[in-house]
Amino acid sequence: MGFFDSDIVQQEAKQLFEDYQALIKVGNNYGKFDREGKKLFIEQMEAMMDRYRVFMKRFELSEDFMAQMTVEQIKTQLGQFGVTPQQMFDQMNLTLQRMKTDLGKQA
């Protein structure tokens, strides 16, 4: 069975994508959130990044050809912007840390 043939992998990928899209849509109004809303958004975004990191690690560890091709595609796409997957995660974490710092200043 291939990596993408797994119902679990397919469902998790679908759920991760849907959750991410919903979170980004909600995040478009971040500036209008009260302090608690901003805090909740940051926590949800951190959890999303953790889920995404685990999902990506599964791809990397898989010996399935299609999983490896997906990893290479992601690296190539990010590389077009001069970024590695690790740099993407690091930048997202830095952004979330700045958001937390800004939130702390509002207290």
Side-chain angles (χ1 to χ4, degrees):
M1 176 191 289
F3 189 79
F4 291 103
D5 294 332
S6 166
D7 289 339
I8 294 170
V9 170
Q10 289 179 24
Q11 181 59 37
E12 189 168 342
K14 181 178 182 280
Q15 193 63 55
L16 188 60
F17 179 76
E18 289 173 358
D19 291 350
Y20 179 76
Q21 292 297 322
L23 193 56
I24 293 303
K25 187 175 180 180
V26 167
N28 287 332
N29 294 314
Y30 181 81
K32 298 176 185 175
F33 296 168
D34 64 9
R35 188 175 193 289
E36 286 305 310
K38 288 178 180 179
K39 183 178 174 185
L40 182 60
F41 178 81
I42 292 168
E43 289 170 358
Q44 289 177 344
M45 194 58 138
E46 286 175 327
M48 177 66 60
M49 293 308 296
D50 287 343
R51 286 173 57 199
Y52 188 65
R53 188 177 290 109
V54 168
F55 197 71
M56 284 298 300
K57 188 53 78 176
R58 284 176 156 160
F59 278 99
E60 292 171 10
L61 295 175
S62 175
E63 294 179 9
D64 181 76
F65 176 76
M66 289 306 294
Q68 290 301 311
M69 288 298 297
T70 300
V71 169
E72 290 307 312
Q73 266 186 320
I74 291 169
K75 287 179 181 178
T76 299
Q77 289 171 348
L78 289 173
Q80 292 174 347
F81 298 101
V83 179
T84 66
Q86 185 58 50
Q87 289 171 324
M88 178 194 71
F89 284 118
D90 291 346
Q91 185 60 46
M92 196 58 204
N93 283 329
L94 183 61
T95 299
L96 290 169
Q97 289 305 313
R98 286 182 186 149
M99 291 168 78
K100 283 182 178 179
T101 299
D102 289 346
L103 191 58
K105 291 176 184 176
Q106 294 177 6

